[in-house]
Amino acid sequence: MHRSFEGVWIPKEIWLNENLNLVEKVLLAEIDSLDNGDGCLESNGYFAEFLGLSKNRISRLLSNLKKKGFITTEIKYKKGSRQIEERIIKSKKI
């Protein structure tokens, strides 16, 4: 993964949103920074290591962000099976 990185920008609509806790705000900012227009393909393992949390905690945080309408997810399965090929997370622009 390569990205141009000069700092962290969290839009005020996210930073001041009282419906998001601090970890959700940071996770959403990371997803947004990795979404190159085609979505973010990083795994729960990546986010867990990045934030120092468990994969289960990341899963719950992503579910919360989805329920709150900040992200959408799309699952692509391997042809002819129920095995996940990739998950695409897209941040909804505020």
Side-chain angles (χ1 to χ4, degrees):
M1 166 188 47
H2 177 72
R3 63 179 163 172
S4 175
F5 187 74
E6 296 181 18
V8 176
W9 171 258
I10 300 177
K12 69 178 182 178
E13 294 82 7
I14 293 172
W15 189 249
L16 298 176
N17 191 311
E18 295 178 1
N19 293 318
L20 295 172
N21 66 42
L22 186 57
V23 178
E24 289 171 330
K25 291 174 186 184
V26 173
L27 178 57
L28 189 53
E30 180 66 3
I31 290 168
D32 191 56
S33 77
L34 295 168
D35 183 347
N36 59 7
D38 295 327
C40 171
L41 301 177
E42 295 300 336
S43 68
N44 287 8
Y46 167 82
F47 293 123
E49 185 175 324
F50 182 79
L51 295 172
L53 301 170
S54 71
K55 290 182 200 177
N56 286 339
R57 179 71 176 127
I58 294 298
S59 180
R60 289 191 305 269
L61 289 165
L62 290 171
S63 292
N64 287 343
L65 289 173
K66 189 173 179 180
K67 285 178 192 172
K68 293 175 183 181
F70 288 96
I71 63 170
T72 61
T73 58
E74 178 185 346
I75 304 293
K76 292 187 178 182
Y77 295 96
K78 291 185 179 179
K79 192 171 186 167
S81 78
R82 294 285 298 156
Q83 187 175 5
I84 295 174
E85 183 174 321
E86 69 181 1
R87 174 191 64 190
I88 302 167
I89 305 170
K90 292 189 176 185
S91 61
K92 292 187 176 181
K93 301 302 177 196
I94 307 232

